[in-house]
Amino acid sequence: MTVSKEALAQSASSAEAAPSDKEGAARGTHGRGTAKAPDSWRSRLYRWDMKASPYAFISPFFIIFGAFSLVPLLYTAWYSLHNVQLSSLDTQTWAGLDNYTNLFASDFFWNALRNTFSIGLLSTVPQLAVAIWLAHMLNYRLRGSTLWRVVMLTPYATSVAAATLVFALLYQPENGMINWAFDLVGLDPVNWKESDWGSQFAISSIVIWRWTGYNALIYLAAMQAIPADLYESAALDGANRWQQFRHVTIPMLRPTILFTVVVSTIGATQLFGEPLLFGGVSGSKGGSEHQYQTLGLYMYDQGWMIGNLGKASAIAWSMFLILLVIAAINMLISRRLRKSQ
Amino acid sequence: MRTTARKSRRAMTFAVVAALATGLLAGCASDDDDSSDGGSSGGAGGGGKTTLTIGTFGTFGYKQAGLYDEYMKLHPDITVKENVTTRTDVYWPKTVTRLQAGSGTDDVQAIEIGNITDAVQTQASKFVDLGKEVDKSQWLDWKLKQATTKDGKTIGLGTDIGPMAICYRKDLFKKAGLETDRAKLAEQWKGDWSKYVALGKDYMKKAPKGTKFVDSASSVYNAALGGESERYYKDETTVDWDKSEGVKKSWDVAMEVATSDMSAKLKQFDKAWDQGYANGTFASVACPAWMIGYIQEKSGKAGSGKWDVAAAPTAANWGGSFLGVPTASKHQKEAIAFTKWLTAPEQQAKVFAKQASFPSTPSAYGSLKPKAETAAYFSDAPLTQIFSDSAKTIPSQYFGIKDQPINTAITDIGILQVEQKGKSPEQGWDAASKEVKDVLGQ
């Protein structure tokens, strides 16, 4: 182990030293005023190796990215400007921006966009708040803390399908456990499948359940990096735990919070599996009034159920642009935050 | 102590990595199998075994009826592998993309009745003409016609059809003070689905606690529409779903169900629907032949002898499939022979015996016998008789190219809004219209 490490270190240092050596040598020859010595084949190969190898090392990612992300992305853009039916991919007719104008004139699109945002808010905000609180709790000395951490991560490890099927059963309007519990405490049953807010809340709860532990662990990692003396001095100043949390933990966590917000927002914009499976048969409609049809579902419905691939591609690109806008807003906010600090 | 802990941790890590790696390799290996099969049989004439794959959705009953095993016994050089996709709406888009790519298809592909026009009109060149291989007169005329192109190419052979009956819970009917004799019941609602709905109103007056008359308004809609001669399309080029007499009549019946609290408001094939069978929360269901097997499975032992079957108000068809051989199949000859065998009357009769999926080949009708267990489950109702009577008078229907998405728009948007959200029938129709326009790109 140690031997190889040393060897690595050596080669690294020699690699760093090499170019400057070379330069020095070249300068030296210039200084003597003689003609520039022709590079030997070996040294040219060596220099070429120095320049090209790093690219070769990182190329697998970019090749795979190009083949499986970039090309499909551009191809989707091409599709979105054509009339393409799933059943006849060979015949594409040029449609210009028709797909986009149709899309922006369609109520279904705006409805899906609205739903995506409201479900996104309903799931992201409580999820992150609970995650911070959980992380704060776990940050104290606990017996069996590893166990708690593992337990928190289990929902994340569960498959979306399995989790959603269980939740769909719990939220069944008739014979469902949640309505049964509502009945016990004297509340009216809610039609979790078809009511507007009920269904959105139900879907959000699945997302919250799956992702809270994951985010809590990220927060926990960041919390443990906060120096303990900050807390000690805060305690000396007479701050109680809540005040410590507000005035020490939260400010120190700011970059981490921002990171989780960005990641969760992207996840929320792409929400697909949970509402699809929650809806059961014909789940891609997102309920009888499309009350929980997200952009992802709308795209799936257009492309694979109805077979209108051109329009589906236009939705995909609109989603992509929306994500870019969100990313830009996030960047602005984070820059602001950094300045204010 | 330390070292052992570290060692065990390392062993653990190794175990996890090994497990993951074998999982990944196994995933790859199964892919490899498919391609190497193609290669080996291409090269070897008779030595190697040929693997035939068949792509199906839902439950076809071939495996259950032991047909694959039987075929392999008859042809020792062939191994049959079934690739099942549970949901039709996932199965078909996947199949279409593979057909167009010209690779990745199974040697035999099942096609659902809702997709057959799509296949005939847009994918005909990707399928082998099976009409040349068989005696076409074996099949019901309308069934054969659905899978045949204008220039006479038959791209799929009929498997089952879905002649309609009404399955009902004798015990619940009795408690609600209704007639329980199947012949008399059939007489009471004969000729018109609204008579069946009227009976439902009687049922609700004295309904046993926690039960409804039907599972859903959509199922009544689908059943009624299956007996009309016109669905959503007049012919290949004219969509007239909003002027179709059949659609209007069926919609009205469904609206009566949706607005009179006689429906359990379930969505067919949802988990909750299955539970409805198990808990006996609805007393009757429109029952195409393929539903018989489903009811037995979902109602379980407790339902045995409580169910009965009566003739439906009108002779109607709901569902049914075809088997086609893609030209991309690497073992076309073997696949054609296999498809011919699977869809032959004798084999269809075997599937009926096990699963009660009803044959599309009339010559099988004489020899149809459901399993004794199935007959007993449905109070010894004469299943063969009821379904073949219905099958003989089913009107020929034209399925348009977007038949399935239009139907989904009407049942899962229009009807569901009225049934579950208390909207008026007009509002439901408007919502469905809007949806259909979106489907048709109007």
Side-chain angles (χ1 to χ4, degrees):
Chain A
M1 197 59 176
T2 43
V3 178
S4 65
K5 231 182 206 167
E6 262 171 21
L8 263 179
Q10 226 163 35
S11 70
S13 66
S14 66
E16 271 164 27
S20 58
D21 280 355
K22 204 88 204 159
E23 262 172 30
R27 231 180 280 132
T29 47
H30 269 286
R32 246 180 269 148
T34 52
K36 192 180 166 193
D39 280 348
S40 73
W41 166 242
R42 259 186 85 111
S43 68
R44 215 184 299 165
L45 192 70
Y46 179 77
R47 222 184 306 163
W48 194 79
D49 178 38
M50 285 309 300
K51 275 193 183 143
S53 296
Y55 292 105
F57 293 147
I58 56 166
S59 63
F61 168 76
F62 285 97
I63 289 171
I64 289 172
F65 174 78
F68 295 102
S69 298
L70 199 64
V71 170
L73 188 75
L74 296 176
Y75 210 66
T76 310
W78 176 252
Y79 262 6
S80 75
L81 300 174
H82 286 79
N83 265 326
V84 195
Q85 291 292 316
L86 179 64
S87 52
S88 46
L89 289 173
D90 306 336
T91 50
Q92 309 165 3
T93 51
W94 176 256
L97 291 174
D98 281 5
N99 281 324
Y100 289 95
T101 47
N102 281 344
L103 195 63
F104 297 139
S106 146
D107 294 347
F108 298 125
F109 173 74
W110 295 109
N111 172 61
L113 188 62
R114 240 188 341 265
N115 289 341
T116 308
F117 273 104
S118 60
I119 296 177
L121 274 179
L122 267 177
S123 55
T124 309
V125 175
Q127 169 194 326
L128 295 184
V130 173
I132 286 197
W133 178 75
L134 273 177
H136 185 60
M137 288 290 136
L138 281 175
N139 203 18
Y140 290 119
R141 273 176 196 286
L142 277 181
R143 208 176 287 168
S145 59
T146 317
L147 176 76
W148 294 118
R149 286 170 202 173
V150 171
V151 166
M152 269 198 340
L153 210 57
T154 32
Y156 172 65
T158 320
S159 85
V160 191
T164 310
L165 284 179
V166 171
F167 272 86
L169 284 178
L170 293 179
Y171 279 118
Q172 238 173 72
E174 322 252 333
N175 309 318
M177 210 154 127
I178 302 211
N179 270 350
W180 170 79
F182 268 39
D183 191 49
L184 279 188
V185 289
L187 288 169
D188 283 338
V190 175
N191 189 340
W192 297 107
K193 289 264 154 103
E194 289 302 327
S195 73
D196 297 349
W197 286 107
S199 56
Q200 292 204 357
F201 176 81
I203 288 163
S204 305
S205 70
I206 308 171
V207 180
I208 294 171
W209 180 80
R210 274 197 81 219
W211 290 94
T212 303
Y214 172 83
N215 283 310
L217 283 195
I218 293 181
Y219 288 143
L220 183 63
M223 278 178 194
Q224 296 196 327
I226 301 173
D229 24 332
L230 281 180
Y231 287 103
E232 274 168 28
S233 52
L236 281 178
D237 288 342
N240 62 23
R241 281 198 164 164
W242 170 243
Q243 283 165 331
Q244 286 177 21
F245 177 69
R246 265 194 58 195
H247 297 291
V248 179
T249 312
I250 295 283
M252 295 297 285
L253 277 187
R254 217 173 261 165
T256 315
I257 294 175
L258 199 77
F259 167 77
T260 54
V261 167
V262 174
V263 170
S264 308
T265 315
I266 291 174
T269 316
Q270 295 174 331
L271 187 67
F272 173 72
E274 285 89 347
L276 178 76
L277 294 165
F278 184 76
V281 181
S282 75
S284 62
K285 297 279 179 208
S288 67
E289 265 192 300
H290 303 285
Q291 64 269 26
Y292 52 88
Q293 188 176 47
T294 58
L295 282 175
L297 281 190
Y298 186 48
M299 176 176 75
Y300 182 71
D301 193 43
Q302 281 293 333
W304 301 104
M305 299 294 110
I306 297 173
N308 206 340
L309 275 188
K311 197 167 168 188
S313 306
I315 300 169
W317 258 81
S318 308
M319 278 173 77
F320 178 61
L321 294 178
I322 290 167
L323 279 178
L324 284 186
V325 170
I326 291 174
I329 293 173
N330 268 313
M331 225 163 73
L332 280 180
I333 295 177
S334 64
R335 203 173 284 167
R336 267 274 175 80
L337 277 179
R338 224 173 286 146
K339 264 184 200 157
S340 72
Q341 261 178 354
Chain B
M1 188 62 208
R2 245 202 164 190
T3 49
T4 52
R6 199 182 286 165
K7 241 182 216 164
S8 73
R9 192 172 290 174
R10 209 178 281 169
M12 182 78 158
T13 317
F14 179 74
V16 169
V17 169
L20 284 176
T22 43
L24 284 173
L25 286 177
C28 298
S30 69
D31 283 352
D32 283 353
D33 271 353
D34 289 346
S35 52
S36 66
D37 284 340
S40 71
S41 73
K49 261 197 163 192
T50 307
T51 303
L52 281 181
T53 57
I54 171 169
T56 63
F57 46 85
T59 313
F60 264 66
Y62 292 150
K63 193 180 258 163
Q64 288 82 347
L67 290 187
Y68 297 145
D69 289 339
E70 199 182 329
Y71 195 75
M72 285 190 268
K73 212 171 272 171
L74 289 171
H75 302 83
D77 55 330
I78 283 177
T79 316
V80 176
K81 207 178 123 216
E82 189 186 38
N83 296 323
V84 190
T85 308
T86 323
R87 288 170 55 161
T88 329
D89 55 355
V90 177
Y91 170 82
W92 185 241
K94 196 171 77 184
T95 306
V96 167
T97 35
R98 286 181 179 174
L99 281 172
Q100 297 190 61
S103 72
T105 57
D106 292 310
D107 296 309
V108 180
Q109 294 275 194
I111 310 165
E112 218 260 343
I113 191 169
N115 304 120
I116 191 68
T117 313
D118 193 7
V120 164
Q121 285 183 18
T122 67
Q123 313 295 324
S125 61
K126 312 278 200 257
F127 281 103
V128 174
D129 184 1
L130 292 168
K132 292 185 208 143
E133 314 280 341
V134 290
D135 173 14
K136 291 200 252 186
S137 67
Q138 290 178 86
W139 279 271
L140 286 166
D141 250 4
W142 57 267
K143 183 82 174 172
L144 191 77
K145 226 166 75 189
Q146 283 175 336
T148 306
T149 64
K150 264 193 192 147
D151 43 1
K153 186 178 173 186
T154 304
I155 63 161
L157 298 179
T159 58
D160 62 323
I161 55 173
M164 191 76 63
I166 301 280
C167 293
Y168 63 100
R169 288 278 302 254
K170 235 174 15 184
D171 55 330
L172 295 180
F173 268 42
K174 194 170 179 192
K175 275 186 205 155
L178 295 189
E179 178 63 57
T180 54
D181 180 73
R182 62 181 84 90
K184 284 181 187 156
L185 271 175
E187 205 52 49
Q188 282 185 10
W189 58 53
K190 194 178 168 133
D192 197 340
W193 282 89
S194 62
K195 288 185 191 164
Y196 167 71
V197 176
L199 200 76
K201 286 176 183 157
D202 288 345
Y203 178 89
M204 290 316 292
K205 278 175 202 154
K206 274 179 68 186
K209 199 171 170 288
T211 69
K212 303 278 179 182
F213 184 62
V214 290
D215 58 334
S216 68
S218 296
S219 79
V220 178
Y221 172 82
N222 280 329
L225 187 64
E228 298 293 335
S229 51
E230 192 180 339
R231 290 172 67 90
Y232 305 119
Y233 285 68
K234 199 166 224 147
D235 52 54
E236 217 169 280
T237 46
T238 354
V239 200
D240 67 338
W241 69 279
D242 50 350
K243 289 177 208 78
S244 157
E245 199 56 40
V247 173
K248 196 168 176 320
K249 254 164 81 182
S250 315
W251 171 267
D252 289 343
V253 175
M255 284 304 108
E256 266 186 80
V257 176
T259 53
S260 58
D261 196 38
M262 66 170 75
S263 143
K265 302 183 183 179
L266 297 166
K267 244 165 132 185
Q268 292 206 320
F269 300 102
D270 256 357
K271 273 273 171 301
W273 190 56
D274 295 350
Q275 288 184 332
Y277 274 122
N279 300 335
T281 47
F282 48 88
S284 69
V285 59
C287 195
W290 45 260
M291 192 90 89
I292 293 286
Y294 198 88
I295 293 178
Q296 265 189 94
E297 189 187 324
K298 299 301 173 190
S299 282
K301 282 243 156 52
S304 182
K306 288 180 181 157
W307 284 94
D308 205 329
V309 185
T314 58
N317 183 66
W318 182 359
S321 302
F322 301 83
L323 293 184
V325 176
T327 49
S329 160
K330 285 175 190 132
H331 321 284
Q332 252 182 51
K333 230 176 73 200
E334 292 88 344
I336 292 171
F338 181 48
T339 309
K340 267 166 74 176
W341 186 83
L342 272 181
T343 54
E346 305 84 59
Q347 272 62 251
Q348 294 208 20
K350 284 175 203 160
V351 179
F352 178 81
K354 175 74 190 165
Q355 214 54 28
S357 294
F358 204 79
S360 55
T361 48
S363 68
Y365 293 177
S367 62
L368 289 186
K369 265 201 193 74
K371 247 190 343 187
E373 194 189 310
T374 308
Y377 199 96
F378 290 92
S379 313
D380 291 317
L383 295 174
T384 314
Q385 180 82 44
I386 293 171
F387 288 125
S388 32
D389 284 353
S390 174
K392 281 173 198 152
T393 50
I394 292 170
S396 177
Q397 287 189 322
Y398 181 76
F399 277 74
I401 196 162
K402 299 251 171 172
D403 217 278
Q404 210 166 35
I406 295 177
N407 197 63
T408 310
I410 291 186
T411 56
D412 291 2
I413 299 290
I415 296 178
L416 210 62
Q417 281 195 16
V418 179
E419 191 176 33
Q420 303 237 348
K421 304 198 82 172
K423 300 253 164 128
S424 73
E426 289 75 33
Q427 283 170 322
W429 181 258
D430 286 345
S433 309
K434 214 174 126 191
E435 190 81 15
V436 174
K437 281 193 183 122
D438 192 47
V439 167
L440 297 171
Q442 288 171 344

